[in-house]
Amino acid sequence: MEEMEEELKCPVCGSFFREPIILPCSHNICLACARNILVQTPDAESPQSSRASGSAASDYDYLDLDKMSLYSEADSGYGSYGGFASAPTTPCQKSPNGVRVFPPAVPHPPPQHHLLPHPGSLPPVPRNSCITCPQCHRSLILDDRGLRGFPKNRVLEGVVDRYQQSKAAALKCQLCEKSPKEATVMCEQCDVFYCDPCRLRCHPPRGPLAKHRLVPPAQGRISRRASPRKISTCTEHELENLSMYCVQCKTPVCYQCLEEGRHSAHEVKALGAMWKLHKGQLSQALNILSDRATEAKEFLVQLRNMVQHIQPTEVPNRPLVTSGLETAKENGVEFEACLVAQCDALIDALNRRKTQLLSRVNKEHEHKLKVVRDQISHCTVKLRQTTGLMEYCMEVIKENDPSGFLQISDALIRRVHMTESQWGKGTLTPRMTSDFDLTLDSGPLLQTIHQLDFVQMKVPAAPILQLEECCTQNNSATLSWKQPPLSTITVDGYILELDDGNGGQFREVYVGTETICTVDGLHFNSTYKSRVKAFNASGVSQYSKTLVIQTSETGLPPCDIDTIATVAWFNFDPGCAHPDIMFSNDNLTVTCNSYDDRVVMGNTGFSRGVHYWEMIVDRYDNHPDPAFGVARGDVLKDVMLGKDDKAWAMYVDNNRSWFMHNNSHTNRTEGGIAKGSTVGVLLDLSRGILIFMINDEQQGPIAFENLEGLFFPAISLNRNVQVTLHTGLPIPDFYLPGEAEAPGSVC
């Protein structure tokens, strides 16, 4: 529980909290310390002086407009109220735990009174007093109730009391006058600890005291902790008990607050129910934070092991390693030995460079140690704070004071969530490896010895294929890879290789710096082997493990010839569509939010086989002319399909259609579309032809011939049209691939 001690100390005096109160910012402060840091605001000046200077009042209107902060977020901690006779410019002080504390203003000489205040009562708080939180520097102007308007943190007070009792070496007698002796019993009825002499003298086992129950001191301490909770009273209505919880204000209230106070129109809930709810929320947040703390402890062990690996140890009469570059080791001790051996072998010129090279190694070594030690220190502090907060929250949960608990539960839950978020990604990852990746290049000739310097002589490690990100779709394959964890060797690029799908030789399909690649135009229903390697100036790495990928299956048309008709499933591709295109239905339905024609393509390209897909017209208003067809990957997206030389299309209205390529219109054909019409596209790359259909009838002759290369399904439309794509369809019965002319191809 030692880590919790900082949670139990006042930020002003640095001692354990005594009579703590809760500020509106959810921070705590001793009642006496709050009295000491009160500051009198400029409004406390005499009415004459305030009215005499109109600018003075306007200069400090912010005190009324923003009572939550008298200082900016970037406040350096130096605060003053210069210009007021009641508050001369005074720098802030620091409490024992390093938190800045703003000193109280110098008060006016109090008037002489002949009557003394009631003993034990607090002196009156000056009017218009302001208190500034010593932790977050938020400020609040006190009302007529003064410090009595802030609720007392009884839960924190109880935790402090238990903590101090647990730190005591032994329970002492409460009736010994000089040096208290160790207590031997406790009377549960008297609630007093006695030593043996005081028990015989003050608590004899006869008369009325004979019925009292005496228990061991340790058991008495436990019974004290389990004593019934105190009934909390309202700060505004001191005779009323707190029995409800205001959800909007997040504070316990009494019935009088609900009837005539500012909470009358607010949502309220039962105090006990909210007590249990907030305890559950805090417990749940603590479970998550506890997992983070466990990870942090394991991480600290890892960092300390790294320090042991980096830190060179002194070995008497350590032999020098002289076997060349192959024997260069990765830790600091062996690296220095290898460096010294190589430098001694390079005669006079090499000796002049040896000192400089060793200096660089030492700097690298110190840098690694500094980074790891700094991370250890940072993580240790954060773990200690986290553990302290956890222990404090656990003690708070043990409290059985609902209203006191609910006064601080929201702030604690926020702190726990905030602390847990600070253990996010990267916090538990080493900032430095323990390996030394420098190797001395001793190959250059002696005449170039003055140019000797460290170079990167290692080839990269073999990349790792990320199987969870590798996939195939139709006749395309996407492969992803990465470097091994903690690898610091520079990589200039990667080489991806695939075989021919029939167990043949590997061939390079990608060379570059990216770590993900999509290969299009593969054969359907084929098995490919893939692998990747990395390279830099020193050479090429080993290959990664070989990954076997399978493209989509194929289907045969109703004929006996060798041409294969493939059945592929695809949808529209939002990644390459015009921004005005609107997608729905898992990217199978598209429309447009512009009156101009916009192009969208499918996410699968075809280079071989026979393919057929259809599009159903879901909406057709004002007789537009959408265009259907195929296109290259770099087709223009902001004009009608077929306007450039990258697309082959049929555009159609409600009465007729035309074929168009490179803005050339041909083969006007009667027959149009309407809502509910079906437009089919037949692409036969074995013959290089494109055929269009409307409502299961061929529209015009063969539209285009001599097509070669990679083609993507495409469509252009405006806001008056909406279509839905249907794929994976068989080839229409009338069409026999390989025929010189399809039946009914001339209209």
Side-chain angles (χ1 to χ4, degrees):
M1 296 177 63
E2 294 180 357
E3 290 86 352
M4 184 178 63
E5 188 166 311
E6 291 301 321
E7 296 280 343
L8 308 180
K9 290 184 177 180
C10 174
V12 176
C13 62
S15 302
F16 287 108
F17 282 106
R18 289 183 293 182
E19 298 183 90
I21 60 175
I22 307 174
L23 299 180
C25 57
S26 300
H27 291 130
N28 301 284
I29 188 173
C30 296
L31 181 61
C33 296
R35 185 76 187 184
N36 291 336
I37 65 173
L38 283 177
V39 175
Q40 216 170 349
T41 64
D43 291 338
E45 293 290 319
S46 63
Q48 291 81 3
S49 61
S50 299
R51 288 192 293 267
S53 175
S55 61
S58 61
D59 289 341
Y60 293 93
D61 284 344
Y62 70 89
L63 288 171
D64 294 324
L65 296 176
D66 185 9
K67 298 180 180 180
M68 292 304 296
S69 178
L70 291 176
Y71 302 92
S72 67
E73 294 294 336
D75 187 16
S76 62
Y78 185 91
S80 66
Y81 287 96
F84 299 100
S86 61
T89 301
T90 306
C92 65
Q93 302 170 347
K94 281 190 176 181
S95 67
N97 60 356
V99 178
R100 290 183 174 88
V101 178
F102 292 90
V106 179
H108 291 293
Q112 298 296 326
H113 295 284
H114 298 287
L115 297 178
L116 294 177
H118 186 274
S121 64
L122 289 174
V125 176
R127 291 185 57 196
N128 299 318
S129 294
C130 172
I131 186 170
T132 300
C133 176
Q135 290 183 284
C136 64
H137 301 315
R138 292 185 177 180
S139 300
L140 184 76
I141 296 178
L142 275 62
D143 57 18
D144 294 338
R145 294 177 297 170
L147 295 177
R148 289 179 299 136
F150 297 119
K152 294 182 179 180
N153 194 339
R154 295 182 305 278
V155 173
L156 176 58
E157 194 171 9
V159 173
V160 170
D161 182 60
R162 290 201 304 270
Y163 181 78
Q164 290 178 321
Q165 290 181 13
S166 65
K167 297 288 288 185
L171 292 170
K172 301 296 183 180
C173 176
Q174 295 178 268
L175 297 181
C176 292
E177 295 182 357
K178 294 184 179 180
S179 57
K181 298 179 182 180
E182 184 175 347
T184 57
V185 295
M186 175 203 172
C187 177
E188 289 187 338
Q189 284 71 32
C190 301
D191 195 21
V192 176
F193 290 94
Y194 298 95
C195 63
D196 286 336
C198 293
R199 178 180 60 83
L200 295 174
R201 185 179 70 254
C202 303
H203 200 287
R206 59 183 180 273
L209 300 179
K211 297 182 179 180
H212 287 197
R213 183 168 178 251
L214 301 179
V215 296
Q219 184 178 345
R221 173 188 291 174
I222 295 174
S223 64
R224 271 189 173 183
R225 294 180 185 176
S227 60
R229 64 173 183 261
K230 301 176 182 178
I231 299 178
S232 306
T233 58
C234 179
T235 57
E236 297 184 5
H237 311 97
E238 298 181 354
L239 299 180
E240 296 290 337
N241 296 333
L242 297 173
S243 56
M244 303 296 288
Y245 181 79
C246 178
V247 178
Q248 181 173 341
C249 300
K250 297 183 178 180
T251 183
V253 295
C254 67
Y255 278 108
Q256 194 169 347
C257 291
L258 301 180
E259 293 178 357
E260 50 187 58
R262 59 188 178 91
H263 305 280
S264 57
H266 294 177
E267 179 186 1
V268 295
K269 293 187 178 181
L271 195 66
M274 294 302 296
W275 178 30
K276 293 180 180 179
L277 176 63
H278 282 228
K279 275 197 174 185
Q281 291 177 352
L282 182 57
S283 299
Q284 186 177 5
L286 279 177
N287 290 335
I288 300 175
L289 185 59
S290 177
D291 294 339
R292 291 291 186 181
T294 302
E295 294 178 10
K297 291 178 182 178
E298 298 174 353
F299 180 61
L300 282 174
V301 173
Q302 179 184 357
L303 291 179
R304 292 190 176 98
N305 292 337
M306 291 178 62
V307 170
Q308 295 297 325
H309 191 62
I310 297 174
Q311 177 69 50
T313 55
E314 297 296 333
V315 180
N317 301 322
R318 182 178 61 196
L320 297 180
V321 181
T322 58
S323 57
L325 293 174
E326 296 80 12
T327 62
K329 304 298 181 182
E330 300 302 323
N331 58 56
V333 177
E334 295 172 340
F335 185 80
E336 289 184 15
C338 180
L339 178 61
V340 172
Q342 290 177 325
C343 290
D344 289 342
L346 295 178
I347 58 176
D348 297 338
L350 184 59
N351 286 327
R352 289 192 295 268
R353 293 283 295 174
K354 180 175 62 176
T355 303
Q356 301 177 16
L357 297 175
L358 281 173
S359 175
R360 291 189 58 185
V361 172
N362 290 331
K363 287 181 179 179
E364 178 72 10
H365 160 252
E366 294 297 331
H367 172 67
K368 289 178 178 289
L369 287 178
K370 183 178 182 302
V371 171
V372 177
R373 283 171 174 167
D374 289 346
Q375 194 172 9
I376 288 177
S377 175
H378 174 74
C379 192
T380 301
V381 171
K382 184 173 292 187
L383 178 60
R384 183 169 62 250
Q385 294 173 349
T386 299
T387 306
L389 177 59
M390 290 170 55
E391 292 180 355
Y392 171 58
C393 290
M394 293 300 296
E395 292 299 321
V396 169
I397 290 178
K398 295 177 183 179
E399 284 295 313
N400 53 2
D401 181 357
S403 60
F405 178 85
L406 292 174
Q407 287 176 330
I408 63 173
S409 58
D410 283 297
L412 284 179
I413 292 171
R414 288 195 301 270
R415 288 186 60 190
V416 168
H417 284 302
M418 183 181 302
T419 304
E420 190 276 331
S421 65
Q422 292 174 354
W423 291 105
K425 291 185 178 180
T427 307
L428 302 182
T429 303
R431 300 175 184 169
M432 181 66 65
T433 65
S434 59
D435 296 332
F436 286 78
D437 296 323
L438 296 175
T439 303
L440 186 65
D441 179 16
S442 59
L445 299 175
L446 292 179
Q447 58 265 33
T448 61
I449 197 68
H450 64 281
Q451 298 177 349
L452 183 65
D453 200 353
F454 287 112
V455 296
Q456 185 82 48
M457 290 297 296
K458 288 186 176 181
V459 299
I464 299 175
L465 285 168
Q466 301 189 88
L467 301 182
E468 65 278 4
E469 297 185 15
C470 298
C471 62
T472 60
Q473 186 175 22
N474 295 322
N475 63 336
S476 299
T478 298
L479 301 171
S480 177
W481 58 89
K482 65 178 180 180
Q483 279 297 102
L486 299 181
S487 176
T488 58
I489 302 176
T490 303
V491 175
D492 294 338
Y494 301 92
I495 301 174
L496 176 63
E497 297 181 357
L498 267 70
D499 68 356
D500 59 0
N502 293 316
Q505 295 294 324
F506 281 91
R507 66 188 189 280
E508 294 182 0
V509 296
Y510 171 76
V511 178
T513 59
E514 300 295 333
T515 57
I516 187 170
C517 177
T518 298
V519 183
D520 297 317
L522 302 176
H523 298 308
F524 282 88
N525 197 25
S526 300
T527 300
Y528 290 87
K529 294 180 180 179
S530 60
R531 63 188 184 183
V532 64
K533 58 185 177 181
F535 64 87
N536 61 11
S538 300
V540 181
S541 73
Q542 298 290 328
Y543 282 106
S544 66
K545 293 182 179 180
T546 300
L547 176 65
V548 179
I549 55 179
Q550 173 74 44
T551 56
S552 300
E553 296 183 357
T554 64
L556 291 175
C559 62
D560 296 327
I561 60 175
D562 295 333
T563 303
I564 295 179
T566 59
V567 179
W569 286 262
F570 60 91
N571 50 23
F572 291 115
D573 187 0
C576 64
H578 191 278
D580 292 340
I581 297 294
M582 302 170 63
F583 296 84
S584 60
N585 189 24
D586 293 330
N587 298 334
L588 291 174
T589 301
V590 293
T591 185
C592 181
N593 60 11
S594 172
Y595 286 106
D596 298 322
D597 290 304
R598 303 300 188 219
V599 173
V600 57
M601 297 192 301
N603 59 1
T604 298
F606 303 111
S607 59
R608 297 177 58 183
V610 182
H611 309 271
Y612 179 72
W613 62 93
E614 292 180 347
M615 283 164 280
I616 296 179
V617 180
D618 301 324
R619 178 166 50 82
Y620 188 79
D621 302 328
N622 301 323
H623 309 302
D625 45 3
F628 307 85
V630 296
R632 304 289 191 190
D634 55 350
V635 65
L636 295 177
K637 306 295 195 312
D638 56 355
V639 296
M640 179 183 288
L641 194 67
K643 287 285 187 180
D644 60 359
D645 61 349
K646 306 296 184 182
W648 294 257
M650 173 190 73
Y651 70 94
V652 56
D653 58 19
N654 60 320
N655 291 321
R656 60 193 68 83
S657 66
W658 294 263
F659 302 147
M660 184 166 62
H661 170 65
N662 199 17
N663 205 24
S664 175
H665 308 253
T666 60
N667 296 100
R668 170 175 168 172
T669 304
E670 296 298 323
I673 61 174
K675 180 180 178 181
S677 297
T678 300
V679 178
V681 181
L682 177 62
L683 176 64
D684 185 352
L685 291 173
S686 61
R687 296 174 55 197
I689 63 174
L690 183 64
I691 298 174
F692 295 99
M693 302 180 65
I694 295 180
N695 296 329
D696 298 327
E697 297 290 338
Q698 182 172 335
Q699 184 75 358
I702 295 177
F704 301 101
E705 297 180 312
N706 302 320
L707 299 179
E708 294 181 353
L710 180 65
F711 298 91
F712 292 87
I715 179 178
S716 67
L717 72 171
N718 62 17
R719 66 183 304 166
N720 292 315
V721 182
Q722 176 176 304
V723 300
T724 296
L725 176 66
H726 293 267
T727 62
L729 303 177
I731 305 302
D733 294 339
F734 79 88
Y735 184 71
L736 297 178
E739 286 189 355
E741 193 73 27
S745 59
V746 179
C747 296

